[in-house]
Amino acid sequence: MQPSRDIARLIDIMAALRDPETGCAWDVRQDFASIAPYTIEEAHEVADAIARGDLEDLREELGDLLLQVVFHARIAEEQGGFDFGGVVEAITEKLIRRHPHVFGDVDSRDPEAIKRIWETIKQSEKAGRRARRGDDAPGLLDDVPGSLPALMHADTLTRRAAKVGFDWPDSAQVMAKVEEERAEVAQAMASGDKAAISEEIGDLLFAVTNLARHHGIDPEAALRATNVKFMRRFRAIEATLGKAGRSLEEADLAEMEAAWQAAKRVEKA
């Protein structure tokens, strides 16, 4: 079997991999739950390639993410649920339905009006799904996916609550809450109660997430940028020690801190 630009070839390859008789034993054993973590991982790797501005990596990572969609669709097809074509049909229907200003008779170019139309249609879709399933109307936060990364989950929860007025009136009050939570972390540390420390650190992180939202900052992206900065400066420590013929294991904290501060000065300069 040869590679191809045609999506049909990818679907055929996945079918071959899932063949109980001639396929790959690992692929055959998988189900929705077992590959879900890989789906999440691939989405993060797409985001990482974008953050690094690496188009070649992005092309490859998008392919890996597409494979996850094809994988899930194949399992569903084997169970008599839906196939890849059904996935494509569902999203094309949704895009057409949610863009009446492009594909329908709604005449609007105002971004805020378009956003309101989008939200109204989304709420109508959710109501339709609940009716189909026979579900009761959910609480405001019930349909926020718990599988989101924790910072993103907290940000989504607070944004949803803020829409109905449950929010701090300004960022100064959020900052005061951050300071309050920081003090409570210190109290918990003094008590030595690990469960209390964990709870208070969670509260502090939640408050900081709120602070980021009030300033229009994506907390997940902010922390990711800090992670990259930490890695860059730590590599500088390794390089500095390497030039001196020393390893990380041989160096003491003072040496590493000096190299860290030197890296900071270089960046600022």
Side-chain angles (χ1 to χ4, degrees):
M1 186 174 288
Q2 297 298 314
S4 171
R5 298 175 65 91
D6 189 344
I7 187 65
R9 180 61 54 82
L10 178 58
I11 294 171
D12 289 343
I13 290 173
M14 178 50 63
L17 290 173
R18 290 280 297 179
D19 188 288
E21 301 297 328
T22 60
C24 169
W26 185 89
D27 289 285
V28 171
R29 285 201 305 269
Q30 304 312 306
D31 57 24
F32 293 125
S34 68
I35 63 172
Y38 298 103
T39 308
I40 296 170
E41 179 182 342
E42 296 300 350
H44 284 301
E45 291 184 358
V46 166
D48 178 66
I50 292 170
R52 290 185 286 104
D54 191 326
L55 285 179
E56 184 57 31
D57 270 8
L58 179 59
R59 180 178 76 100
E60 183 173 338
E61 298 301 346
L62 285 171
D64 291 344
L65 185 58
L66 177 59
L67 172 63
Q68 297 299 309
V69 178
V70 171
F71 208 151
H72 284 287
R74 178 62 194 180
I75 295 173
E77 183 177 2
E78 292 167 358
Q79 296 180 5
F82 57 84
D83 60 7
F84 183 80
V87 175
V88 175
E89 182 180 27
I91 189 58
T92 52
E93 284 180 352
K94 183 182 293 184
L95 287 172
I96 293 169
R97 184 171 62 248
R98 290 187 180 180
H99 293 82
H101 54 291
V102 176
F103 304 111
D105 54 6
V106 174
D107 185 15
S108 178
R109 290 293 181 269
D110 175 40
E112 288 303 314
I114 291 171
K115 184 177 179 180
R116 289 193 294 271
I117 292 169
W118 176 280
E119 289 297 332
T120 298
I121 294 172
K122 278 182 63 177
Q123 293 306 315
S124 176
E125 290 171 353
K126 289 179 180 179
R129 285 196 297 270
R130 290 196 301 270
R132 185 178 70 249
R133 298 168 183 165
D135 296 342
D136 295 330
L140 182 68
L141 307 178
D142 288 353
D143 61 347
V144 178
S147 60
L148 289 172
L151 281 178
M152 191 182 298
H153 193 207
D155 185 51
T156 305
L157 292 173
T158 60
R159 286 180 186 279
R160 187 76 63 87
K163 286 184 178 180
V164 295
F166 190 73
D167 193 14
W168 300 102
D170 56 61
S171 63
Q173 293 192 35
V174 185
M175 189 65 205
K177 184 64 176 176
V178 170
E179 292 297 337
E180 175 189 326
E181 297 297 351
R182 185 200 60 77
E184 291 182 1
V185 170
Q187 291 174 2
M189 289 171 60
S191 74
D193 185 334
K194 190 170 183 179
I197 296 171
S198 176
E199 181 178 350
E200 297 303 342
I201 288 176
D203 291 346
L204 176 59
L205 289 170
F206 195 86
V208 170
T209 301
N210 249 324
L211 182 63
R213 178 178 57 82
H214 268 259
H215 286 280
I217 294 168
D218 177 353
E220 193 79 26
L223 182 56
R224 191 178 301 116
T226 296
N227 292 343
V228 171
K229 180 170 61 177
F230 179 86
M231 292 171 64
R232 183 175 64 246
R233 291 178 179 174
F234 197 84
R235 283 195 294 268
I237 293 175
E238 292 175 310
T240 299
L241 292 173
K243 289 178 182 177
R246 293 173 63 76
S247 67
L248 289 169
E249 291 75 18
E250 293 169 334
D252 59 24
L253 179 58
E255 287 179 281
M256 289 190 280
E257 178 63 21
W260 176 274
Q261 292 301 330
K264 285 180 64 175
R265 288 192 296 270
V266 170
E267 287 183 4
K268 290 181 179 179

